[in-house]
Amino acid sequence: MSEELYYKSASELSELLDKKELSAVDLMKATIARTKQVEEKVGAFNSYDEVDALAQADASDARRAAGNSLGPLDGIPVGIKDNLAVNGQPLTCSSKMLEKFVSPYDATCIEKLKSQGAVLWGRLNLDEYAMGSSTENSAFKTTSNPWNLDCIPGGSSGGSAAAAAAGQAVMTLGSDTGGSIRQPASHCGVVGLKPTYGRVSRYGLAAFASSLDQVGPLTRSVKDAALLLQAISGHDERDSTSYRTETQNFVTALEKLRGRKWTLGLPKEYFASAADTPAMKPVLEAIEFYKSLGCEVKEVSLPHTDYAVATYYIIATAEASSNLARYDGIRYTHRAEKFDAKDSVDIYCQSRAEGFGEEVKRRIILGTYVLSSGYYDAYYLKAQKVRTLIRQDFEKAFENVDALLTPTSPTPAFKKGEKSSDPLSMYLSDIYTISANLAGIPGMSLPCGYSDGLPVGLQILGKPFKEDELLAIANEFEAAHPFKDQHPSL
């Protein structure tokens, strides 16, 4: 598969497929070849099923031959984060607890992709149960950053970001609980979008923190992100947090909103803390670009930003403690065998001790503590109140601006192992992304430059259910810069 082909966008590949200049089977064979070529270096995949993927591609070609194409994603390989249910495929969450589990059903977003003919390709590595910022917490492997194999790709959707950056999939799905799409997108030089909470159904997404989790796209272009978001969005009766919203065409919105003079806010709290960080220079240059377009750029305040990390790690760990209680070693998860169990409690304890990694155990313990009698009011209830204040900060800011511009991450990708012994330092990697999840607003990261040869991302935060505006703002920058055409050498 030539570099010219495996780094093409979904839109370009779809056009080639429609013109019969390329077959879905040939595209899939080339994608498999590329994956095998670089997988030993990158380590993005937990598993993949070549036979199944080629069968999907063959069915796509048959539909096109009969004049029944299902749309622009028909025949396009889409990588899937290994915490989304795909019927008949492994669903491990990169955990020993689910190492042998095979999903008996499809997540809603997977059903939607299948209905549009996308070729589901592989199970992508992540931090165990999506708990981490570097994909070093996987029970199976550490994924490498395609731009520098000694560095982490970000997390928890590190496999999804790395696969997209390395050309191992045309586009991928990830999940974002506190920045887990946007932060690895920034580190790997791809576009990552966390939709508004409720825009995409969470049915079939293995839960980490239910009030924060959201599925979203990682792609190599803004248009592809719009295309994939459009494919997976929509109300779902099976998800009680799914919103009923008007159907939007995010792809046509890119052209419809082109040239608008946006009013963009710079949160002073974000820039004060980021003033001396390596990622700041490309971000400031991106801001100057928007000024050159005639956009109004003004300072805004999000006064409760300093409390966001603490608030997030109370709420997220509390919800994780509850959600992971179902993995008990009794029903379908790992069960300890090499010990004499006195009762079911012994089975629970030993199975969970063997099945969960250190970071997952840490968060379960923290979450159980903040929910315990005597501490619920002091920690969890107070955190929920601060969460409301953080959301109100954004509501007030959006009264005066269309969107906010910030860094995505304080630094470019760091070396493997650099922060493994310092959990707090690792947690602070998501300092600029966490607030969007607490407020439920959409956010995206797009490549805006490099620092020491590693990609840097610009984060754009928007009003609830205004993903069309975020994409249009991002598209203006991408159209004038070559970053989507620059790829790692592997």
Side-chain angles (χ1 to χ4, degrees):
M1 187 176 188
S2 68
E3 180 174 329
E4 184 180 356
L5 183 57
Y6 65 68
Y7 279 134
K8 282 188 180 296
S9 69
S11 304
E12 293 169 320
L13 291 168
S14 181
E15 186 175 342
L16 292 174
L17 289 167
D18 286 339
K19 291 179 178 179
K20 305 294 195 300
E21 295 177 11
L22 176 69
S23 73
V25 168
D26 285 343
L27 174 58
M28 193 63 243
K29 285 180 177 178
T31 302
I32 292 169
R34 173 60 175 175
T35 296
K36 290 181 175 181
Q37 177 190 0
V38 301
E39 178 58 16
E40 188 173 339
K41 297 177 182 178
V42 177
F45 286 79
N46 285 338
S47 63
Y48 51 78
D49 187 336
E50 295 179 43
V51 174
D52 178 66
L54 288 169
Q56 294 178 64
D58 187 57
S60 174
D61 284 334
R63 285 191 296 271
R64 272 199 170 82
N68 298 321
S69 173
L70 297 174
L73 289 183
D74 203 342
I76 302 298
V78 181
I80 308 298
K81 187 175 180 179
D82 202 359
N83 61 349
L84 285 162
V86 180
N87 189 20
Q89 294 296 323
L91 175 58
T92 73
C93 294
S94 289
S95 175
K96 290 182 180 178
M97 189 64 84
L98 289 173
E99 187 171 7
K100 298 179 181 179
F101 182 68
V102 174
S103 176
Y105 72 104
D106 285 327
T108 297
C109 60
I110 299 301
E111 287 181 351
K112 288 178 176 288
L113 289 179
K114 285 185 174 181
S115 72
Q116 296 170 65
V119 177
L120 305 182
W121 170 231
R123 313 294 294 149
L124 295 165
N125 195 27
L126 65 148
D127 286 300
E128 185 179 3
Y129 288 102
M131 298 182 190
S133 303
S134 64
T135 316
E136 292 175 290
N137 294 329
S138 169
F140 308 135
K141 63 174 71 173
T142 296
T143 300
S144 299
N145 191 315
W147 291 88
N148 183 333
L149 298 175
D150 294 326
C151 293
I152 56 93
S156 63
S157 303
S160 298
Q168 294 175 281
V170 178
M171 46 190 12
T172 63
L173 283 184
S175 66
D176 192 309
T177 307
S180 288
I181 288 174
R182 290 160 289 155
Q183 186 247 31
S186 174
H187 287 341
C188 291
V190 297
V191 176
L193 194 157
K194 183 204 87 71
T196 307
Y197 184 77
R199 166 75 76 182
V200 178
S201 173
R202 293 185 299 107
Y203 179 79
L205 169 67
F208 164 13
S210 302
S211 73
L212 302 166
D213 299 338
Q214 191 67 170
V215 180
L218 291 109
T219 64
R220 293 191 293 269
S221 73
V222 172
K223 185 176 181 181
D224 278 5
L227 187 64
L228 190 50
L229 177 63
Q230 187 170 307
I232 63 175
S233 296
H235 181 256
D236 181 11
E237 295 288 352
R238 295 171 295 187
D239 176 4
S240 62
T241 61
S242 177
Y243 277 61
R244 294 185 183 275
T245 57
E246 293 183 8
T247 302
Q248 287 183 273
N249 190 319
F250 297 113
V251 177
T252 59
L254 296 179
E255 196 60 41
K256 181 180 178 182
L257 297 174
R258 183 183 291 276
R260 179 180 291 188
K261 305 304 181 187
W262 304 97
T263 301
L264 304 172
L266 306 181
K268 64 180 183 181
E269 292 80 8
Y270 285 49
F271 285 87
S273 64
D276 299 320
T277 63
M280 182 50 68
K281 183 179 178 182
V283 172
L284 293 176
E285 290 173 352
I287 291 168
E288 290 302 315
F289 167 77
Y290 283 107
K291 290 180 180 179
S292 73
L293 292 181
C295 297
E296 181 182 359
V297 177
K298 59 172 66 174
E299 183 180 88
V300 298
S301 179
L302 301 172
H304 294 93
T305 295
D306 287 346
Y307 305 104
V309 173
T311 299
Y312 172 84
Y313 278 101
I314 289 172
I315 294 172
T317 57
E319 294 185 13
S321 174
S322 297
N323 280 325
L324 270 63
R326 72 193 70 177
Y327 303 107
D328 54 16
I330 300 296
R331 288 164 287 187
Y332 55 85
T333 58
H334 169 80
R335 178 185 290 195
E337 296 178 353
K338 297 180 180 179
F339 74 103
D340 296 323
K342 299 175 183 178
D343 52 32
S344 60
V345 174
D346 274 359
I347 297 176
Y348 297 160
C349 293
Q350 188 65 26
S351 298
R352 288 164 68 83
E354 291 179 3
F356 289 138
E358 292 304 311
E359 182 60 30
V360 174
K361 292 176 186 175
R362 181 184 293 117
R363 298 196 191 197
I364 290 173
I365 291 169
L366 285 170
T368 303
Y369 178 80
V370 301
L371 290 175
S372 61
S373 177
Y375 296 101
Y376 179 91
D377 289 351
Y379 292 104
Y380 183 73
L381 185 61
K382 187 174 290 185
Q384 292 288 16
K385 292 178 178 178
V386 176
R387 180 181 190 170
T388 299
L389 295 175
I390 290 170
R391 186 183 70 249
Q392 290 173 346
D393 286 348
F394 281 103
E395 290 172 352
K396 185 174 181 181
F398 286 133
E399 291 175 0
N400 301 305
V401 299
D402 298 307
L404 305 175
L405 303 181
T406 81
T408 304
S409 179
T411 65
F414 47 87
K415 297 284 186 180
K416 294 176 185 175
E418 185 177 318
K419 299 185 179 183
S420 298
S421 61
D422 187 356
L424 181 57
S425 176
M426 188 77 78
Y427 295 167
L428 291 174
S429 297
D430 298 329
I431 191 169
Y432 303 131
T433 56
I434 279 170
S435 294
N437 298 79
L438 291 169
I441 62 173
M444 67 182 297
S445 178
L446 75 154
C448 68
Y450 301 90
S451 177
D452 294 328
L454 290 167
V456 171
L458 171 71
Q459 181 175 225
I460 310 175
L461 302 174
K463 301 173 184 177
F465 299 103
K466 292 295 185 181
E467 286 87 349
D468 57 338
E469 296 185 357
L470 285 193
L471 289 160
I473 293 168
N475 195 51
E476 294 282 6
F477 182 86
E478 184 183 86
H481 296 83
F483 302 119
K484 75 179 179 67
D485 300 318
Q486 297 174 3
H487 309 292
S489 300
L490 283 170

